[in-house]
Amino acid sequence: MRAKIAFLFQTLILVFISLSCTDDEPEIIPDVYVNFQFSIYEPGYNNLTVIYGATKKEYEGYDNNGVIVFRSDLNEYKAFDATCPQHITISTSVNLNENGSGKATCPHCQTVYYLMNNGYPANGYRLKQYRTSSNGEFVSVFN
């Protein structure tokens, strides 16, 4: 009898642990079609020639608020929807802080997003992230 109770207890613990380890985060920003490509040497994208450089491509992403592209290391780029997820009904576009800071700030709620930390703020929801690929000079952003 004790063996059955111990087995049941261990099974319940394993189920509880497996359910608590999920990485499901709420998707605040609705999915929209994103697919564009550019050269880092084009005007407007020169900030991406250096590590931690960032730029915002206007008229892309949710509600055309833009997409932020950030160079996280020599061969990796990250892309985030520029819509602030803290108040989706207002549909505010976050602004890049000075180049090289790796931060973007919402002008409405003053939330600071850390691009080096996958778009997470100190508190609240993170920026929606898009996929990227690059072959040196050209960067593609898509979902």
Side-chain angles (χ1 to χ4, degrees):
M1 181 70 172
R2 282 186 165 177
K4 287 182 180 180
I5 292 174
F7 176 75
L8 180 62
F9 184 70
Q10 289 174 347
T11 304
L12 288 174
I13 288 175
L14 288 174
V15 168
F16 177 74
I17 289 172
S18 68
L19 291 176
S20 65
C21 292
T22 60
D23 290 329
D24 292 338
E25 292 185 21
E27 284 290 331
I28 305 301
I29 307 299
D31 289 331
V32 295
Y33 179 75
V34 172
N35 188 7
F36 62 91
Q37 174 178 297
F38 59 88
S39 166
I40 61 173
Y41 300 112
E42 290 178 32
Y45 298 102
N46 291 343
N47 289 347
L48 296 174
T49 59
V50 297
I51 296 173
Y52 302 138
T55 190
K56 183 160 68 168
K57 173 116 168 101
E58 302 289 343
Y59 309 109
E60 294 284 348
Y62 178 73
D63 221 10
N64 289 321
N65 283 326
V67 171
I68 295 171
V69 182
F70 173 71
R71 187 169 194 168
S72 57
D73 66 29
L74 190 59
N75 299 311
E76 184 179 12
Y77 297 86
K78 296 181 180 189
F80 306 95
D81 198 295
T83 303
C84 180
Q86 310 311 323
H87 45 80
I88 186 68
T89 55
I90 298 174
S91 187
T92 304
S93 179
V94 300
N95 298 320
L96 286 170
N97 295 15
E98 65 184 67
N99 193 45
S101 72
K103 299 176 188 174
T105 303
C106 176
H108 180 75
C109 65
Q110 304 306 313
T111 299
V112 177
Y113 297 94
Y114 300 93
L115 306 177
M116 289 179 266
N117 193 26
N118 293 320
Y120 279 96
N123 295 306
Y125 301 111
R126 73 180 186 128
L127 294 173
K128 181 181 187 73
Q129 191 165 2
Y130 297 113
R131 298 186 308 188
T132 63
S133 67
S134 69
N135 65 358
E137 178 183 344
F138 292 95
V139 177
S140 297
V141 177
F142 54 94
N143 51 0

